[in-house]
Structures are given as C-alpha cells and as structure tokens.
Amino acid sequence: MRPCWPWLCQGDVFAAVPVVSVGVHEDGTLRTTVTNGPALLLTHGCQLDKRGLSRLQFAPLLAVDAASVTPSNIGQLRNKWLTPPEGIYIDDVGDGQPAIALLGQGFMIPATYFALDLVDFTDNPESDPEQPFHAVARANDDRTVTMEPAESALLEFKMAAYWIGLRLTGAPER
C-alpha cells in the first residue's frame, strides 16, 4: 500500500463510507443495515474518469479475524495468491492493521455522495498525458492508502476470476 494519488483510483481504501449489508432474519424477512465503516474502492479507473458516472462500487473491509475465512485461506491471501479469488488481503488500511475485503459483499454508493469532479492533471508526472482528466472527490474523501500497481493488477485478476469464473492468461502463478 502507498499514499493515495490526488484522484480516485481502483484500490483506494476509504476510512468510513456508508457500508451496506443485507441478510435474512430468522423469520425469512430481509434485513438491510447501513453503517459507516472502511471499504475498498472496486470501480476501475477507466470508469472513474468518465463524465456521468452514477455510482461507485465498494467492498467492506473486515478485520482478519472477523472475515469468516479459513486460516489456510488467510495465508494464501496474505501471500497474494489468486486463490481464493473472492478475498483481497490489505496489509495496512492506514492504521497499521490488516483487513480482508470479500468481493461477494460488494455494494454501490451513488457518485453524488462524493461530489465527483473531473480535474485536469496534465502537470502531474503520474498522470497519463493522453488522458490527464481524473475524478476527484469534493466530498466524503477520507481515503487513507491505495494499492501499489502489483496489488491493483492482482485485484483485477481476482475480480475477473471471481465474477466470471475464468483463469486468465498472465494471472499470477499461485
């Protein structure tokens, strides 16, 4: 993990966004809760940097011991294996603590919550000179860290493997 860019990126860790969870009561009725908590931004950068983006996709960040993942799977996630594809291990969410995001718990937040604005970052050496406009959150931007390029690539492979069920060429060997 590393410090965040001035613009939003897939793999940004937010300290507290509205986290939506859905469950079922014992009587079979639906239970929906919304709490503020840490979450991982899943929306891809090429979508973030487009006008008219209506929502952002997140996965809640769970304490490692609360993620309902087996100890052997935690080891695989910590070692950056592709399997299990649903889980993403975050070494440090910005407070020195590790966490796990589960893709199956993903949820959407309206983009208007963040008051997104496209900003020209032509003068920033990290910005693509051919596509210098990036989405900036003007509200509720409490990002703490973001993924390194290798971590972002693993996240993309895991999302494809989890949602599509395919083993991609060029995916990490593990």
Side-chain angles (χ1 to χ4, degrees):
M1 301 303 285
R2 62 171 176 76
C4 296
W5 296 118
W7 54 83
L8 296 179
C9 296
Q10 182 183 46
D12 283 352
V13 171
F14 282 73
V17 296
V19 175
V20 180
S21 61
V22 178
V24 178
H25 289 287
E26 287 183 18
D27 65 3
T29 59
L30 197 60
R31 173 185 46 84
T32 304
T33 58
V34 179
T35 57
N36 279 342
L40 178 67
L41 179 59
L42 299 176
T43 305
H44 195 275
C46 66
Q47 293 174 315
L48 287 170
D49 297 337
K50 302 286 187 272
R51 293 198 187 279
L53 180 66
S54 61
R55 58 193 161 277
L56 303 180
Q57 183 181 16
F58 289 88
L61 289 172
L62 309 168
V64 173
D65 60 353
S68 67
V69 177
T70 66
S72 65
N73 284 346
I74 289 172
Q76 291 170 319
L77 294 173
R78 187 179 296 119
N79 290 320
K80 310 298 183 201
W81 288 22
L82 181 59
T83 56
E86 181 185 17
I88 310 295
Y89 187 87
I90 307 295
D91 295 319
D92 178 358
V93 296
D95 60 2
Q97 298 298 309
I100 292 177
L102 298 174
L103 296 174
Q105 294 182 1
F107 60 94
M108 302 286 199
I109 296 178
T112 54
Y113 177 77
F114 299 99
L116 297 183
D117 191 16
L118 285 182
V119 176
D120 184 348
F121 284 95
T122 300
D123 295 333
N124 188 311
E126 300 301 329
S127 180
D128 179 353
E130 294 181 23
Q131 306 243 338
F133 286 87
H134 298 285
V136 172
R138 300 288 188 203
N140 301 304
D141 183 6
D142 63 356
R143 295 172 296 146
T144 57
V145 291
T146 194
M147 292 181 159
E148 295 281 357
E151 294 170 315
S152 294
L154 179 61
L155 172 60
E156 288 183 20
F157 280 120
K158 283 181 165 270
M159 289 176 70
Y162 181 72
W163 291 112
I164 302 170
L166 296 176
R167 173 89 175 149
L168 299 177
T169 303
E173 291 298 314
R174 297 179 181 173

